[in-house]
Amino acid sequence: MTGVLLAEPVSGEHAPVLRNAAIDSLAIRADGCYVDATFGRGGHAGEILGRLGEEGKLIGIDRDPEAAAAAAVLFDADPRAQFVRARFSELGQHVPPASADGILFDLGVSSPQLDEARRGFSFLRDGPLDMRMDPDSGASAAEFLARTDEREIAGVIARLGEERHAKRIARALVAARESGPIDTTGRLAGIVAAAVPGREPGRHPATRTFQALRIHVNDELGEIERALPQAVDALKPRGRLVVISFHSLEDRIVKRFMRSGSREDPAWAGLPEVPAAARPRLKLVGRATFADEAEVARNPRARSAVMRVAERLPE
Ligand SMILES: C[S@@+](CC[C@H](N)C(=O)[O-])C[C@H]1O[C@@H](n2cnc3c(N)ncnc32)[C@H](O)[C@@H]1O
């Protein structure tokens, strides 16, 4: 199916990024077992399911209740498919060791999550300041801003938003909450816009702050750190791990994990008998892949996407 044009997403849909490249990289066998650890609205999952025969199996995972609803429709009691509403850092509880032929992570948030004002992810749409992918667990962005001290807020915005005006923004947020809770996306965007001097061309001044709060509220980087080793355990020998990241903080974790997993423990370098635990568990497959111009033109979200692929080595 390589080269098939992606349809333009209609509002409320999610256009899967690097769909063909990701599906090709999974090297799908009709009778294989695959895991889509970030089901979203099922764009990639539908494609995987379409390539499976009667013996094939697909496990979809997502922490978002709306992804669960989408899975109920897409899977439509298909005996080959199963959806688990969970964090992907719990993958090991749902996918037995050495059972999967391929595992896909398409990180970040889906377009419908961003587009729905009531999910509170977007500075473009006013809504309650929530930002949780799973609204049933953990603290919302509004709760974080209400009870966290200025220093910690500044640290989160600096580290996860790579925002150079983080201290100034945190000061403004702490001052503003004295006059009432920061509990809508519109109020947050307004406070940040007023606190930031000048403007980055083509970027809303609150972009980096929203990114930082979203990553923090959902512990996105911790989730990736915990999930990747479990994904390798869940792969069969020669099974494929395919990860699509959307910003450098995510990609750095993925790149380091795959690189270190594909190298022998340096403590054993040059020695004749290397124990299994010190041998590489992964082999890198190809180089980082980016969306081409045509895909970026159709789907601006693809602009920052980078896909990395590794294969589990036999023990
Ligand atoms: C970019 S979207 C995936 C879109 C999907 N590939 C598609 O084609 O529809 C990312 C999805 O991963 C989910 N997600 C992100 N982090 C997660 C985590 N730690 N555990 C479970 N789901 C997560 C989000 O809720 C979102 O639905």
Side-chain angles (χ1 to χ4, degrees):
M1 294 284 279
T2 309
V4 170
L5 284 180
L6 297 171
E8 196 68 50
V10 292
S11 179
E13 280 189 6
H14 179 90
V17 170
L18 288 166
R19 176 173 59 180
N20 295 331
I23 299 299
D24 288 348
S25 299
L26 285 169
I28 295 175
R29 296 192 352 227
D31 62 349
C33 169
Y34 295 87
V35 178
D36 182 343
T38 49
F39 179 88
R41 294 302 178 269
H44 287 105
E47 198 68 31
I48 296 171
L49 207 50
R51 293 182 185 218
L52 295 180
E54 280 181 17
E55 303 300 313
K57 193 174 164 199
L58 172 64
I59 301 173
I61 299 175
D62 204 298
R63 73 213 284 199
D64 183 344
E66 290 171 23
V73 174
L74 179 72
F75 290 169
D76 189 23
D78 186 326
R80 302 169 303 165
Q82 178 198 350
F83 179 83
V84 184
R85 184 168 164 216
R87 292 165 169 258
F88 56 54
S89 61
E90 298 164 339
L91 188 142
Q93 295 171 33
H94 304 287
V95 187
S99 66
D101 293 283
I103 302 181
L104 171 67
F105 290 84
D106 175 20
L107 298 169
V109 275
S110 65
S111 304
Q113 285 171 330
L114 284 174
D115 290 346
E116 278 286 351
R118 73 191 150 75
R119 302 299 301 267
F121 282 104
S122 173
F123 47 78
L124 297 175
R125 293 168 184 80
D126 194 22
L129 184 60
D130 193 318
M131 295 199 190
R132 286 171 297 177
M133 294 180 191
D134 177 357
D136 300 326
S137 121
S140 68
E143 286 163 335
F144 170 74
L145 288 180
R147 63 181 188 215
T148 307
D149 69 35
E150 184 179 319
R151 217 177 126 100
E152 193 180 334
I153 295 175
V156 165
I157 296 174
R159 194 161 34 85
L160 302 180
E162 297 173 312
E163 168 63 74
R164 64 198 165 101
H165 303 300
K167 282 188 181 163
R168 205 188 265 255
I169 293 169
R171 202 176 316 131
L173 291 170
V174 167
R177 73 187 182 193
E178 294 299 315
S179 59
I182 305 167
D183 56 4
T184 65
T185 53
R187 178 152 150 80
L188 172 60
I191 297 164
V192 176
V196 169
R199 272 195 166 238
E200 265 182 83
R203 229 188 230 268
H204 188 287
T207 306
R208 292 173 183 278
T209 301
F210 271 68
Q211 171 187 302
L213 291 175
R214 190 201 93 199
I215 296 174
H216 177 75
V217 160
N218 294 291
D219 187 18
E220 291 182 35
L221 304 183
E223 281 287 305
I224 302 168
E225 302 258 17
R226 291 188 290 277
L228 292 177
Q230 294 179 49
V232 175
D233 289 343
L235 283 172
K236 291 179 188 166
R238 300 204 171 75
R240 292 280 178 92
L241 174 63
V242 178
V243 188
I244 305 171
S245 305
F246 287 87
H247 56 75
S248 55
L249 297 170
E250 291 170 342
D251 185 50
R252 193 176 307 153
I253 297 171
V254 177
K255 185 166 78 179
R256 284 191 185 152
F257 177 80
M258 288 188 176
R259 279 203 183 147
S260 73
S262 63
R263 285 192 192 129
E264 195 172 274
D265 184 337
W268 293 86
L271 295 173
E273 285 294 316
V274 180
R279 280 185 227 138
R281 299 183 80 203
L282 294 175
K283 178 180 92 176
L284 301 181
V285 178
R287 290 171 175 266
T289 302
F290 304 89
D292 61 21
E293 277 178 28
E295 182 173 356
V296 174
R298 284 192 302 276
N299 181 8
R301 250 190 100 244
R303 190 182 305 119
S304 48
V306 47
M307 181 182 79
R308 296 185 188 272
V309 182
E311 187 172 293
R312 178 157 176 191
L313 292 169
E315 296 284 302

